[in-house]
């Protein structure tokens, strides 16, 4: 009797065991286990890969963000899909200031489906956004942050997830200083910044390089980005008699300085120079006729890779107008870099589910080497600088926004005049 | 016996008051002291001592009634700021980096900017005077005028009319801008404020902020977020010479003259016309004014209309100076004009004009005059901070604003 009971239980166990073994999927693949120290994004079979932009798409600097957003959209059009998944672009307006960067980052970091971020546009916004995104573990590639701090060797460890395809302003500031000293032959210069991280650092790089070349910096002034009456500040600058004023700021305030410099006694014949932050047809709208003869430093489009001409054609066909700011190609490259990195690290299940390790993705981005992009051959260093920086100086010959078509040819406006 | 002494003491007390030149109202205390004495509380021997105590107490009372601990510390802070300002000014002038022409230029820039502030500030002050509310949407009323005016101005410019007939062209733009701002101000009153007239005070304030956002983003939605550049009028380019080798920009002359005319017109309107007097009456007491046969609702609409039209005009003058419009352009001038209205004494028309001018000149002049001498680099970055320090200083020394007292007396 007792024996019988034991036997029947053993038999039952064997039968149940066999039955369960038969139920399991035949090619017994291991279920995916996330070993990434930061975590993984799981993308279901039908779900798209979600990439977010964090750009200034509203307000007076909207041209900068719209330009980079379009670059990202064209990149998605070109790539179409990654490992069988569609690509989805969502985003937030990050403004061109720390508050905007913080708000956008808070919002986006709460979305666990976001694989990577393309942004921000303005360095001030980046400084607020980077720690939040890195805490959330989301890799972030900026198309247009140029402030040297963000990728300096002494940058904080909490910036581990941040890279950029834009040039470092150490290059841009030096280029303008060299142009002023060698080509224009000026011996004295004044600078104006607007308190933003980008402008403050850029004017300092310019001033240091200009001094090193032997020039004199007569004044380093500052305004608020919302200021409209620049004449009192310019009167102060005029008292120091500079031959050139360099104000690498943004469109609204930059336009006012350009206009009002012509109206302040003593500055009628002073050279005016700005940087990529206001290299846009919107700047011509803001500055009017006074923009004629002004110099801007900006990426050298004529040195861009072979695919750039084709990109411009797609842009014109898709949006019906010329590019709005200098960073569309950087944004395109940032997207392509992200796509390549996803392809490298993503693990695909049989049912099509995609697993992407967050740290692995960032590591793959940092390991980018000799990547053939529109802006050149991108190689990222350990601090996140990926650009192949080529900076040119452009002169504006026509203040009509409709004539905006930067390039090196004689028909272009603004036209590349250096190097 | 005690009673007799008290009745004897009461006139003595009065004599004492007369001796210290105290107001007759103080007799009240004499009487109560006398009645206290009657109740037997006062002892004959305490009287001589009481005389001294009473004298001291009255003097202390007079002092403390005016000066509290907070007031003293505020005055001290004020004096320190004032000393720093005086020191900075002295150092700058001693350095002699800037010529007289530079200073004149700075003051002219300030007057031009200040007269725009003054015109906007009037809108805040008129509405405050009547409704006791801050119309925070006023900065959008200011923005809407030149924004719509922009489309008229560009089409006139493209037709070449603006260069051929600058006066008529400018008048058309001005009229369109004033009408737009007036319409928006009146609609604002009708839709956003009138239904809430009897609501607690915070409610219309919050509505005002909501209306402000609504208008901003309506304009952004309709016309985009980019900056639009106003066409430049050929005849207004360049400068006119002023005495002493100083040249004044033609646009600034136009702005200052136009602002002065409008300010004078408004002053005449408020002081002399029947509607203006009715406005004053409503501002004094709405209910009594209604009893006297004044249509209060009508007067409130008129107030919003006048404030709106002035803001529209201010907007055109502003774009003459700065030639840019965008949907957010009203915010900073609005805040500044509100400051100017408080500076001059909110609710007071002349005060708003004065406050605007003081603020404009301070913004243009002070960074150079005060901060330069203190060795602060890039002082114009601190322009706004300085403007608000000025506000703090004035509120410490004159809590009602520069011309606020007259208003306070009138309202009391």
């Amino acid at each position: 009797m007792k024996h019988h009971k034991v036997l029947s239980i053993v038999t039952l166990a064997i039968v149940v065991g066999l039955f369960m073994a038969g139920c399991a999927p035949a090619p017994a693949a291991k279920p995916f286990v996330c070993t990434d120290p930061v975590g993984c994004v799981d993308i279901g079979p039908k779900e798209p890969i979600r990439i977010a932009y964090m750009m200034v798409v509203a307000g007076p600097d909207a041209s900068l963000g719209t330009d980079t957003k379009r670059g990202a959209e064209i990149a998605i059009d070109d790539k179409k899909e990654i490992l069988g998944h569609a690509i989805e672009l969502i985003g937030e307006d990050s403004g061109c200031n720390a508050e905007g960067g913080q708000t956008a980052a808070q919002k986006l970091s709460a979305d666990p489906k976001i694989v990577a971020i393309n942004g921000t546009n303005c360095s001030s916004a980046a400084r607020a956004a980077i720690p939040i995104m890195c805490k959330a573990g989301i890799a972030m590639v900026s198309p247009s942050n140029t402030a040297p701090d963000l990728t300096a060797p002494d940058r904080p460890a909490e910036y581990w997830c941040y890279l950029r395809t834009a040039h470092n302003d150490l290059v841009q500031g030096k280029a303008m200083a060299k142009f002023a000293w060698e080509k224009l032959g000026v011996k004295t210069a004044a600078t104006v910044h607007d308190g933003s991280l980008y402008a403050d650092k850029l004017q300092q790089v310019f001033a240091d390089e200009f001094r090193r070349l032997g020039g004199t910096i007569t004044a380093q002034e500052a305004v608020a980005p919302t200021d409209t009456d620049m004449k009192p500040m310019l009167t102060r600058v005029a008292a120091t008699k500079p031959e050139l004023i360099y104000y690498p700021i943004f469109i609204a305030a930059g336009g006012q300085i350009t206009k009002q410099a012509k109206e302040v006694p003593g500055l009628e014949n002073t050279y005016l120079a700005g940087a990529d932050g206001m290299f846009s047809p919107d700047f011509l709208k803001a500055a009017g006729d006074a923009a004629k003869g002004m110099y801007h430093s900006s990426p050298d489009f004529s040195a861009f890779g072979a695919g750039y001409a084709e990109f411009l054609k797609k842009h014109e066909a898709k949006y019906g107008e010329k590019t709005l700011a200098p960073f569309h190609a950087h944004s395109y490259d940032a997207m392509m870099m992200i796509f390549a990195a996803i392809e490298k690290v993503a693990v695909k299940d049989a049912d099509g589910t995609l697993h992407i390790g967050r740290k692995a993705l960032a590591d793959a981005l940092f390991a980018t080497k000799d990547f053939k992009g529109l802006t050149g051959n991108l190689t990222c260093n350990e601090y996140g600088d990926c650009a192949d920086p080529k900076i040119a100086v452009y002169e504006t010959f026509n203040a009509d926004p409709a004539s905006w078509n930067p390039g090196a040819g004689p028909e272009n406006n603004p036209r590349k005049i250096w190097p | 016996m005690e009673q007799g002494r008290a009745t004897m003491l009461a006139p003595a007390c009065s004599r004492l008051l007369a001796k210290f030149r105290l107001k007759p109202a103080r007799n009240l205390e004499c009487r109560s002291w006398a009645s206290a004495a009657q109740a037997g509380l006062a002892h004959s021997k305490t009287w001589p001592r009481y005389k001294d105590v009473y004298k001291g107490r009255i003097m202390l009372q007079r002092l403390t009634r005016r000066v509290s601990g907070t007031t003293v510390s505020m005055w001290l802070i004020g004096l320190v700021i004032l000393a720093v300002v005086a020191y900075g000014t002295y150092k700058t002038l001693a350095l002699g980096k800037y010529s007289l022409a530079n200073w004149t230029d700075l003051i002219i820039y300030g007057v031009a900017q200040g007269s725009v502030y003054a015109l906007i500030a009037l809108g805040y002050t008129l509405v405050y005077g009547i409704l006791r509310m801050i119309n925070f949407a006023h900065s959008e009323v200011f923005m809407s005028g030149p924004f719509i005016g922009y489309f008229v101005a560009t089409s006139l410019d493209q037709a070449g009319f603006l260069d051929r007939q600058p006066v008529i062209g400018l008048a058309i733009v001005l009229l369109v801008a004033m009408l737009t701002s007036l319409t928006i101000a009146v609609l604002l009153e009708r839709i956003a404020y009138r239904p809430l007239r009897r609501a607690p005070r915070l409610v219309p304030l919050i509505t005002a902020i909501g209306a402000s956002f609504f208008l901003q983003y309506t304009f952004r939605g309709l016309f985009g977020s980019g900056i639009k550049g106003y066409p430049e009028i050929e005849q207004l380019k360049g400068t006119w010479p002023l005495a002493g080798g100083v040249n004044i920009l033609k646009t600034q002359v136009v702005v200052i003259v136009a602002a002065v005319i409008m300010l004078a017109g408004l002053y005449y309107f408020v002081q002399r016309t029947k509607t203006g007097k009715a406005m004053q009456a409503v501002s004094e007491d709405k209910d009594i004014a209604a009893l006297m046969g004044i249509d209060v609702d009508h007067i409130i609409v008129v107030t919003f209309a006048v404030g709106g039209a002035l803001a529209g005009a201010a907007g055109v003058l502003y774009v003459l100076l700065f030639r840019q419009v965008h949907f957010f352009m009203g915010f900073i001038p609005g805040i500044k004009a509100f400051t100017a209205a408080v500076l001059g004494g909110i609710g007071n028309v002349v005060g708003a004009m004065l406050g605007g001018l003081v603020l404009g000149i301070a913004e243009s002049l002070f960074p150079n005059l005060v901060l330069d001498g203190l060795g602060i680099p890039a002082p114009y970055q601190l322009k706004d901070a300085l403007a608000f320090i000025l506000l703090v200083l004035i509120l410490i020394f004159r809590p009602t604003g520069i011309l606020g007292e007259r208003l306070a007396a009138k309202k009391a």
Side-chain angles (χ1 to χ4, degrees):
Chain A
M1 196 63 184
K2 231 178 186 176
H3 276 94
H4 259 111
K5 217 174 192 176
V6 171
L7 203 69
S8 59
I9 286 173
V10 168
T11 321
L12 192 73
I14 288 170
V15 168
V16 168
L18 277 174
F19 184 73
M20 283 178 67
C23 252
K30 285 179 291 187
F32 177 82
V33 179
C34 181
T35 53
D36 195 276
V38 181
C40 296
V41 196
D42 302 318
I43 299 157
K46 290 265 156 36
E47 283 180 345
I49 293 176
R50 185 175 292 173
I51 292 174
Y53 68 82
M54 194 152 67
M55 296 168 181
V56 47
V57 289
D61 300 308
S63 55
L64 186 58
T66 310
D67 185 62
T68 46
K69 190 180 158 211
R70 287 175 176 178
E73 283 166 358
I74 294 176
I76 292 174
D77 289 351
D78 282 2
K79 184 74 185 173
K80 292 188 186 73
E81 54 166 35
I82 301 171
L83 305 169
H85 287 257
I87 305 159
E88 179 190 25
L89 186 70
I90 61 160
E92 279 296 317
D93 177 23
S94 61
C96 198
N97 50 49
E99 297 80 9
Q102 173 140 9
T103 319
Q106 295 284 12
K107 200 155 175 202
L108 291 177
S109 65
D111 183 346
K113 287 285 177 193
I114 292 176
V115 177
I117 302 268
N118 181 356
T120 64
N121 285 125
C122 298
S123 302
S124 317
R127 188 149 65 171
I130 293 169
I132 300 171
M133 289 333 298
C134 289
K135 207 172 162 204
I138 305 175
M140 181 174 164
V141 184
S142 163
S144 72
N145 293 157
T146 56
D149 286 35
L150 300 175
T151 57
D154 61 349
R155 71 177 189 166
E158 60 180 3
Y159 281 23
W160 66 268
C161 71
Y162 173 81
L163 308 92
R164 65 172 161 208
T165 54
H167 53 262
N168 188 320
D169 274 341
L170 290 175
V171 183
Q172 181 171 217
K174 280 181 185 160
M176 184 51 95
K178 232 171 155 176
F179 165 78
W181 180 258
E182 287 174 1
K183 180 85 191 282
L184 294 178
V186 298
K187 303 277 176 273
T188 53
T191 66
V192 181
H193 69 84
D194 64 358
S196 68
L197 181 63
Y198 157 78
D200 190 8
K201 297 292 172 194
L202 187 47
Q203 63 86 24
Q204 196 54 50
V205 171
F206 170 87
D208 291 346
E209 180 70 7
F210 195 71
R211 282 203 193 96
R212 198 187 62 77
L213 290 167
T216 313
I217 297 293
T218 62
Q220 284 177 291
E221 289 294 330
V223 293
T226 48
D227 278 358
T228 48
D229 196 2
M230 305 293 180
K231 291 191 264 329
M233 182 277 295
L234 289 168
T235 303
R236 206 178 137 75
V237 170
T240 67
K241 299 188 178 58
E243 291 168 85
L244 173 135
I245 306 177
Y246 180 56
Y247 45 105
I249 55 178
F250 294 101
I251 290 169
Q256 292 296 2
I257 293 185
T258 308
K259 269 185 201 169
Q260 293 174 29
K262 306 280 179 206
E263 300 174 344
V264 169
L267 295 178
E268 295 88 349
N269 299 313
T270 308
Y271 291 118
L272 302 178
D276 46 11
M278 43 187 188
F279 195 63
S280 158
D282 277 1
F283 175 74
L284 299 185
K285 285 185 205 160
D289 277 348
K292 245 182 264 173
M294 174 152 177
Y295 302 108
H296 286 272
S297 58
S298 185
D300 187 351
F301 304 115
S302 61
F304 275 7
Y308 187 58
E310 202 191 323
F311 171 89
L312 288 182
K313 265 186 225 139
K314 282 179 205 155
H315 187 284
E316 188 124 20
K318 192 168 162 100
Y319 303 107
E321 60 179 344
K322 296 215 162 56
T323 56
L324 296 173
F327 292 106
H328 41 271
H330 299 81
S331 177
Y332 182 93
D333 284 356
M335 290 304 266
M336 286 302 182
M337 254 173 68
I338 293 171
F339 298 159
I342 292 175
E343 280 174 344
K344 218 186 316 181
V345 302
V347 177
K348 194 171 185 179
D349 285 348
D351 66 345
T353 305
L354 221 53
H355 307 279
I356 300 166
R358 292 202 179 277
K359 180 81 169 67
L361 182 70
D363 287 345
L365 282 167
F366 275 94
T368 303
K369 204 165 177 264
D370 220 15
F371 183 86
K372 301 273 179 294
L374 294 181
T375 59
N377 291 336
L378 308 182
T379 300
C380 298
N381 71 8
E382 58 191 304
Y383 308 113
D385 249 338
C386 303
D388 182 6
K390 300 186 184 80
I391 301 295
V393 175
Y394 294 79
E395 182 175 352
T396 302
F397 292 93
N398 187 343
D400 180 9
S403 72
W404 183 264
N405 181 22
E411 77 287 355
N412 288 116
N413 175 57
R415 192 184 313 153
K416 174 187 163 187
I417 53 164
W418 187 87
Chain B
M1 181 216 140
E2 283 294 326
Q3 207 172 0
R5 195 170 179 85
T7 40
M8 200 184 77
L9 275 175
C13 173
S14 298
R15 273 203 305 280
L16 199 71
L17 290 175
K19 198 177 158 198
F20 293 129
R21 293 195 197 89
L22 295 173
K23 283 180 191 151
R26 289 273 156 203
N27 278 331
L28 202 67
E29 285 185 29
C30 277
R31 256 181 266 126
S32 62
W33 183 80
S35 53
Q38 271 174 330
L41 289 172
H43 197 267
S44 60
K45 279 179 191 163
T46 58
W47 169 242
R49 256 190 296 147
Y50 187 77
K51 190 173 75 178
D52 294 337
V53 173
Y54 192 70
K55 179 178 153 192
R57 210 185 75 203
I58 296 263
M59 286 178 76
L60 199 72
Q61 257 184 2
R62 287 174 104 191
L63 208 70
T64 48
R65 208 174 32 199
R66 255 185 259 159
V67 187
S68 67
T70 342
T71 326
V72 171
S73 51
M74 288 308 263
W75 271 67
L76 279 178
I77 295 171
L79 285 175
V80 168
I81 298 176
L82 216 56
V84 172
V85 167
Y87 176 75
T89 311
Y90 167 74
K91 287 287 266 189
T92 313
L93 293 177
L95 276 172
K97 246 180 15 192
Y98 306 96
S99 64
L100 188 63
N102 285 152
W103 293 120
T104 324
D105 277 342
L106 288 178
I107 292 175
I108 293 171
Y109 300 148
V111 171
Q113 173 81 71
S115 41
V116 175
Y117 287 160
L119 285 176
I120 312 170
L122 282 173
Y124 282 105
T125 242
L126 285 174
V127 168
Y128 183 85
I130 287 196
L131 288 181
R132 295 289 178 282
M133 71 164 269
I134 311 288
N135 178 12
F136 274 116
H138 193 60
S139 50
E140 275 55 57
V141 173
F142 160 78
M143 171 272 287
S144 61
F147 210 113
I148 301 299
Y150 161 80
F151 297 103
V152 179
T154 36
S155 49
L156 285 179
D157 186 49
Q158 272 155 9
F161 186 79
L162 210 53
D163 288 335
R164 271 191 320 237
Q165 296 286 350
V167 178
I168 301 176
L170 206 58
I172 294 174
V173 176
L174 190 70
L175 204 68
V176 169
M178 285 172 86
L179 279 176
T180 311
S181 292
L182 184 152
T183 314
I184 289 192
V186 169
L187 284 179
L188 207 60
E189 193 275 330
R190 186 70 195 82
I191 297 167
Y193 302 147
R194 195 183 293 180
L196 300 169
R197 186 136 336 130
R198 299 279 163 193
R201 240 185 218 199
L202 269 179
V203 176
L205 194 75
I206 291 165
T207 322
I209 294 171
S212 164
F213 279 122
F214 173 79
L215 286 170
Q216 263 175 27
Y217 287 91
T218 307
F219 272 80
R220 182 187 144 186
L222 288 176
F223 307 115
S225 61
I227 294 171
K228 299 186 181 348
Y230 246 73
E232 206 171 350
I233 298 169
E234 207 58 44
Q235 278 84 346
L236 287 180
K237 276 185 187 165
T239 56
W240 277 313
L242 206 73
V246 175
N247 291 313
I248 179 166
L249 288 170
K250 289 177 185 174
T251 46
Q252 287 177 333
V253 177
V254 173
V255 167
I256 295 170
V257 169
V260 167
I261 292 173
M262 274 182 274
L263 293 178
L266 181 87
Y267 187 74
Y268 176 82
F269 173 74
V270 173
Q271 297 293 329
R272 295 291 152 82
T273 62
K274 212 168 173 184
T275 322
K277 284 178 182 161
M279 275 165 74
Q280 288 187 37
V282 172
S283 138
E284 199 94 4
D285 192 317
K286 264 191 282 202
D287 299 329
I288 304 284
L291 286 178
M292 297 315 233
I294 295 172
D295 183 351
V296 174
D297 274 346
H298 174 74
I299 291 300
I300 291 173
V301 170
V302 169
T303 308
F304 271 87
V306 170
L310 285 173
V316 172
L317 300 185
Y318 185 83
V319 293
L320 270 183
L321 289 175
F322 304 121
R323 298 199 295 281
Q324 279 184 3
V325 283
H326 61 99
F327 75 94
F328 204 59
M329 67 182 272
F331 182 69
I332 296 285
I335 293 278
K336 291 287 173 60
F338 173 59
T339 310
V342 175
L343 203 63
I346 191 145
N348 185 309
V349 170
V350 183
M353 301 177 187
L354 202 65
L357 282 179
V358 168
L359 190 69
I361 295 174
E363 271 189 1
S364 156
L365 196 61
F366 278 21
N368 224 358
L369 188 64
V370 178
L371 298 181
D372 196 36
L374 297 174
I376 294 171
Y380 276 96
Q381 207 178 7
L382 299 173
K383 186 173 88 173
D384 296 352
L386 222 58
F388 293 121
I389 287 179
L390 180 77
L391 178 71
V392 169
L393 265 183
I394 288 193
L395 289 185
I396 287 176
F397 291 113
R398 287 191 70 86
T400 47
I402 303 176
L403 295 182
E405 204 123 280
R406 237 191 295 162
L407 168 103
K410 200 173 73 184
K411 292 278 153 65

